[in-house]
Amino acid sequence: WYQRRVRADDNTPAADRMCSALKYSLVFVFLVVSLLMVGAFVQFGSIPNFNGTIIDDLDSLGDQIKTKGVESALSFTISVLTVLGLFVYIVYTAYGLSAFPFNFIKTRASAAAELNRLRVEQIAREEKERQLAAKYADGRPVIPSDRRLLQKIAKDKERYNELQRAVETEEGSCMRKVLICCRPFSVLLGIFLSLLSLAFMTSVTVTLVDKYVHSNYTLGYVLTTIHYEYSPINYILTYSQRVFPLDYVLVLLLVFYIASCTVNGIRRIGIWFLWIKMFEVVPGRTMPQALLLLSAFFSYAMVALNQLMLVAMPTYSTYGSQHYM
């Protein structure tokens, strides 16, 4: 649904296309091997003290890697992916938790108003294009900034034509009439999701404050006892466990909501590298590379979900409703 269908260039040899695809695979293999190799040696924590011959030292190093190297490599790789997933939560999920519920609350413009807005934008683009054409009517070369502006205008015109066709198709559709009839329920759903986002952020904040006050960095901010029992998500899930399988259903819905907020945040913000916007995620016009990065970001977020759940609902994730004397 998001992918832009691009017709392959028939003039490009198959060998060139295979080499281009192979480069992405080699980069992936290189990153995986690098993480595993670093993880296999990071277990030592310090440089081993070898006093024997070179052969004996290599044998000793090989034995240590055999005993703990695989476990350490996997743990290090998962930890790195978890950190990347936490960055995805900070940038995209945090935005999606606030923006996604308002998609159900805000009023959508009518088809006539949407078409009028698109026409006004198109008139402004055409006027700008005429100004640039008059500027270079004498045949002088186009400067790079104006060339980029002309390319952007061409892309915007293509996008305008697509949006115009979509709005005109949707104007008299039955789905639009059904959505208008369901408008009150959409507002109520948006309010409920806003409260859910607020409860989730409150739960995370309470646990983080508890870790900061009652633990320290030397302990890895690990809590042996939960001191603040004011976490809404933790409280609801702990007591819903008494009615099987209500807690499983609630956790499943919560995970689905967090995943939806993550995708919504990526779609609205786009894919950036620092201050450079790399790709847009737009229905029907998304580059395959952007879909690949979106899938990678989503996978990182799912890897870090375990850590996020331990923060949002520490008691339920550890013991549930069980108590030990």
Side-chain angles (χ1 to χ4, degrees):
W1 185 59
Y2 276 96
Q3 183 177 4
R4 186 179 75 178
R5 286 162 175 77
V6 181
R7 182 176 296 176
D9 189 3
D10 296 332
N11 297 325
T12 304
D16 293 344
R17 293 200 298 267
M18 292 179 61
C19 291
S20 178
L22 186 61
K23 287 190 293 186
Y24 292 98
S25 301
L26 291 177
V27 170
F28 172 76
V29 172
F30 172 76
L31 292 176
V32 172
V33 172
S34 300
L35 288 175
L36 293 176
M37 291 297 294
V38 173
F41 290 96
V42 80
Q43 59 173 319
F44 299 120
S46 60
I47 300 176
N49 185 17
F50 297 123
N51 296 320
T53 63
I54 296 178
I55 297 177
D56 294 338
D57 293 344
L58 290 177
D59 291 339
S60 177
L61 180 62
D63 293 337
Q64 294 187 49
I65 293 177
K66 289 179 181 179
T67 55
K68 296 183 179 180
V70 176
E71 180 182 355
S72 179
L74 293 177
S75 299
F76 178 78
T77 304
I78 294 175
S79 299
V80 171
L81 297 180
T82 301
V83 171
L84 294 176
L86 292 177
F87 277 110
V88 174
Y89 282 127
I90 293 171
V91 176
Y92 295 110
T93 308
Y95 177 81
L97 285 171
S98 58
F100 184 64
F102 284 95
N103 292 337
F104 300 93
I105 298 176
K106 67 179 182 180
T107 303
R108 293 185 59 185
S110 62
E114 186 69 16
L115 283 173
N116 184 55
R117 183 185 65 82
L118 293 175
R119 291 192 187 99
V120 171
E121 294 179 355
Q122 180 63 14
I123 291 173
R125 282 191 290 267
E126 292 176 351
E127 180 63 26
K128 186 64 177 178
E129 189 176 18
R130 282 194 295 268
Q131 292 177 1
L132 291 174
K135 180 178 178 181
Y136 297 99
D138 55 356
R140 55 177 170 168
V142 183
I143 61 177
S145 59
D146 288 342
R147 186 182 297 109
R148 288 192 296 267
L149 182 57
L150 287 172
Q151 294 174 354
K152 183 179 183 301
I153 291 175
K155 292 181 181 179
D156 291 341
K157 288 174 66 175
E158 181 183 354
R159 181 183 180 186
Y160 163 76
N161 295 329
E162 295 177 359
L163 291 175
Q164 186 179 22
R165 288 193 297 267
V167 172
E168 290 175 350
T169 303
E170 187 183 1
E171 183 176 4
S173 63
C174 297
M175 181 58 67
R176 188 176 184 89
K177 297 178 181 178
V178 172
L179 292 176
I180 293 175
C181 296
C182 298
R183 177 63 186 163
F185 301 101
S186 176
V187 174
L188 293 176
L189 178 61
I191 294 174
F192 172 75
L193 294 179
S194 299
L195 295 176
L196 179 60
S197 296
L198 181 61
F200 183 80
M201 289 185 288
T202 303
S203 301
V204 173
T205 304
V206 168
T207 304
L208 292 178
V209 171
D210 193 3
K211 288 176 176 289
Y212 180 78
V213 173
H214 298 98
S215 186
N216 54 66
Y217 69 92
T218 59
L219 301 176
Y221 290 101
V222 176
L223 291 174
T224 56
T225 304
I226 304 299
H227 299 85
Y228 298 152
E229 298 288 347
Y230 312 116
S231 175
I233 300 296
N234 188 54
Y235 180 84
I236 293 173
L237 289 176
T238 300
Y239 285 93
S240 65
Q241 191 180 20
R242 301 175 181 179
V243 181
F244 180 83
L246 180 59
D247 60 321
Y248 292 160
V249 175
L250 294 178
V251 170
L252 179 63
L253 294 176
L254 180 62
V255 171
F256 179 76
Y257 177 64
I258 294 173
S260 301
C261 291
T262 303
V263 175
N264 183 263
I266 298 175
R267 185 179 69 86
R268 286 178 168 269
I269 297 177
I271 299 175
W272 293 68
F273 178 73
L274 300 178
W275 64 91
I276 303 173
K277 189 170 186 178
M278 300 176 61
F279 301 105
E280 289 184 348
V281 182
V282 182
R285 297 190 303 107
T286 305
M287 296 293 294
Q289 293 86 346
L291 290 176
L292 182 63
L293 289 175
L294 188 150
S295 302
F297 288 170
F298 188 77
S299 300
Y300 299 153
M302 292 300 101
V303 172
L305 186 63
N306 293 328
Q307 184 67 27
L308 188 65
M309 289 301 177
L310 285 173
V311 176
M313 39 188 174
T315 304
Y316 175 79
S317 300
T318 308
Y319 304 112
S321 61
Q322 304 178 44
H323 296 278
Y324 294 90
M325 301 299 293

